[in-house]
Every structure is written in structure tokens, then in C-alpha cells.
Amino acid sequence: MTKIVFMGTPAFSVPILESLIEADYEIVAVVTQPDRPVGRKKIITPTPVKEAAVKHDLLVLQPEKISGSPEMEKIKELAPDLLITAAFGQFLPEKLLQVPKLGAINVHASLLPKYRGGAPVHYSIMAGDAETGVTIMEMIKKMDAGGIFSQQKIAITKQDDVGTMFEKLSLVGRDLLLETLPKIISGELKPVPQNEAEVTFSPNISREQEAIDWNKTAEAVDNQVRGMHPWPVAFTTFEGARWKIYHVTPLDEQTTELPGTIIARTKKALHIACGQGTVLAIDELQPAGKAKQTVQAFLNGSGQAITEGQQVK
């Protein structure tokens, strides 16, 4: 039986782990991030992967940093045949990659060599891509640069956001891994080197990237909002106060007003001018110090004083 150490952290990783368990692979340890404070009350909360591992009575390791840690030494002692990672969230040192007899493989949520890095789903939606996918790849010292074993494409619709795409890609990754794994273990499937000329990157989202640029078209702003929902969430400012923007709709109309101008304000709607004369409706937002709410609730509550002609930035 193939001995596997599984490394993952968020909900994306859970179906992948559980599918390995159901397929009777021997999971000798599950490595995940440490428990973290969550929410306004800062309640210490285990990762989704830890919860799944505990449910199946698996050994759980939670290094703050895997390199040089006691947990890394434990993995060496376990002598796994394979390391399988899926959104673990830490860079793995070369010494760890050399431990498993059959190597280390990663379930990566992009069509490599496009979008190497920690936020491939965010970037694919923000770029307005029509499709993305999952890559099963070998892990080497250089991040997301290993050879490709298999890939599966999936469409991105205009209704998708990071949350919905992670749910879809998790299931795609689960099925693709189960299909690919026996061929890797048998040696039938060999990794194909990536085309370095086609490499793009998706580093973690910066605070500056979260700010909406109203000079972009309404469609581009919509892509940004969906590409940051449900986290980290795009924002704009109005009279110095920050609004987190959760849902918007590009409208089929034109304007001559400057980008960022509020061009329509009713009891139910808030329309804002964007680049190239396009117009966007805000559907759901969270004003500073308030709960997330529909635009109608906002305009009939704390946003009552807003008028046409004012600016968001």
C-alpha cells in the first residue's frame, strides 16, 4: 500500500483528502497550518483540513514553519512513498521534497505554466479569463515550476467568484488526482516540462490591489470584485470612509461623467461611472463600521444623504 503524507489547509483541500481516504490510500499523516483566531471574537479555530483529518483519526501535524521543524523530522521518520499537497500555504524546502520515494506532487488550481503562485483563482477571474483548471504537477525547489502530469479545464462564468470557483476546482482536482495517481505510482506517467516562455505569476493579493480603480471599465471592475469575493474583498472610499464591495453589475448604458461619479441614486439603486463611459451598479456592500447589506438597505439607512454627482475613489 502506498504511504502518503497529505498537506493542505482550506476547504478546497478537504474533498481531495477525503477522496484519498475513500480510495484506501494509506494516509500516514496530515500536515496543515496551525489553528488561527477567526472572526471578530478571535476564536481559535482549526483548519478545515484538520477537522477532516481528526474525523478520520489521522495523525495531524501543524508546523508554524515546516522548514527545520520537529514536524518535518516526523515526516522523515514516517518514510512516505508520496507527498501530496493541495493549497497547504507554505513553501516546502528541498530537503523535504527529497524524502518521499516516489516524489512530491501538487494539486494546483490553474492551468500551468499560467498563474504560478498563491492566488491563481483570484488572478484568473480578475483577468477576465474564460477558463481555468487544475494541474497535477511534480514539486521541485522552484515554486510551481515542476513538470506536469495531467490537467483538466473548467469554464469561468460571469456569475462565478473565487468562492464558487474554489468549490468547483476542488472537485475537479479530486477527480483528476484519483485518475492520475495510479499512473504516477506505477511509473506509467512521466511529468512533461512546463513551457517557460508561457509562465505568468499570481502572487498573494496586496492591499493596493484590493482598491477599485474606477478608471477601469465596468466589466473590469466586476472582474475585480468577483476576483476578490469572498476574500480579501475589493473596496472603495467615499468621503474618506471605506466601503467593502461584495457584488456589482455592469449595466448596458453609457455616460459622459468622470469615472467614480455617482450618476444615479434612487431608493433601490446606486450607479457609478466607470472608464470608457461604462456604468456599474453596486448591489451589495459593507460601509465602514456597518454590517454587509444590500444597496437598498444601505441607501435607506446610513447612506440616505448620498446624492448624484458625488464621487467615490
Side-chain angles (χ1 to χ4, degrees):
M1 185 177 288
T2 305
K3 293 166 60 179
I4 293 172
V5 168
F6 182 84
M7 309 180 75
T9 296
F12 169 84
S13 317
V14 172
I16 299 169
L17 169 61
E18 292 188 329
S19 71
L20 293 171
I21 297 168
E22 291 166 9
D24 289 329
Y25 287 102
E26 184 182 1
I27 311 299
V28 295
V30 172
V31 188
T32 189
Q33 298 275 37
D35 299 356
R36 305 286 190 202
V38 173
R40 290 186 176 181
K41 294 185 179 179
K42 304 296 182 184
I43 297 172
I44 301 299
T45 305
T47 71
V49 162
K50 179 181 179 179
E51 291 181 333
V54 169
K55 184 176 69 175
H56 292 282
D57 295 320
L58 297 173
L59 172 65
V60 176
L61 305 176
Q62 293 181 274
E64 190 68 46
K65 183 181 179 184
I66 187 70
S67 182
S69 66
E71 289 86 358
M72 182 168 157
E73 294 305 312
K74 180 63 178 178
I75 294 172
K76 291 179 181 178
E77 290 175 17
L78 292 168
D81 298 303
L82 267 175
L83 270 181
I84 297 179
T85 69
F88 172 53
Q90 291 187 37
F91 189 79
L92 303 191
E94 191 173 15
K95 287 183 179 179
L96 179 58
L97 298 179
Q98 293 171 348
V99 169
K101 301 175 183 131
L102 299 175
I105 63 175
N106 181 37
V107 183
H108 184 76
S110 85
L111 298 172
L112 291 170
K114 198 170 185 180
Y115 301 131
R116 291 180 183 176
V121 179
H122 297 75
Y123 279 79
S124 61
I125 296 174
M126 289 191 293
D129 292 348
E131 64 182 14
T132 184
V134 172
T135 300
I136 308 298
M137 54 164 287
E138 66 171 345
M139 297 185 73
I140 62 175
K141 183 178 180 180
K142 189 176 179 182
M143 184 177 63
D144 297 333
I148 295 170
F149 289 108
S150 59
Q151 289 186 322
Q152 180 67 51
K153 295 179 180 179
I154 184 173
I156 302 174
T157 73
K158 288 298 182 182
Q159 288 71 49
D160 279 316
D161 57 31
V162 171
T164 63
M165 287 310 302
F166 262 114
E167 290 176 3
K168 294 178 182 180
L169 289 166
S170 175
L171 301 183
V172 171
R174 173 197 67 186
D175 296 344
L176 185 62
L177 180 64
L178 287 183
E179 177 187 322
T180 307
L181 206 47
K183 300 174 188 177
I184 295 175
I185 293 169
S186 69
E188 173 189 345
L189 190 61
K190 301 298 181 184
V192 177
Q194 295 184 37
N195 185 344
E196 292 294 324
E198 297 178 357
V199 171
T200 62
F201 295 95
S202 58
N204 291 336
I205 303 295
S206 68
R207 192 64 167 170
E208 291 74 22
Q209 287 174 291
E210 297 171 25
I212 293 173
D213 179 359
W214 296 101
N215 291 300
K216 295 180 178 179
T217 65
E219 181 180 6
V221 174
D222 177 44
N223 290 341
Q224 179 184 4
V225 170
R226 291 186 296 109
M228 295 193 181
H229 182 274
W231 74 92
V233 186
F235 72 88
T236 191
T237 56
F238 176 76
E239 296 187 342
R242 180 168 293 181
W243 296 352
K244 291 183 177 181
I245 306 297
Y246 286 88
H247 289 289
V248 297
T249 301
L251 301 176
D252 188 19
E253 61 183 77
Q254 290 284 304
T255 182
T256 57
E257 295 291 341
L258 291 173
T261 304
I262 296 172
I263 62 170
R265 188 261 192 251
T266 68
K267 289 184 178 180
K268 296 182 178 180
L270 189 65
H271 297 175
I272 298 177
C274 298
Q276 298 181 29
T278 57
V279 181
L280 189 78
I282 293 181
D283 302 322
E284 188 177 37
L285 74 163
Q286 183 177 6
K290 304 290 183 180
K292 183 168 67 172
Q293 55 198 270
T294 65
V295 72
Q296 182 176 352
F298 170 65
L299 292 171
N300 291 304
S302 60
Q304 288 185 53
I306 292 172
T307 61
E308 293 176 8
Q310 291 181 298
Q311 292 273 330
V312 292
K313 296 179 180 179

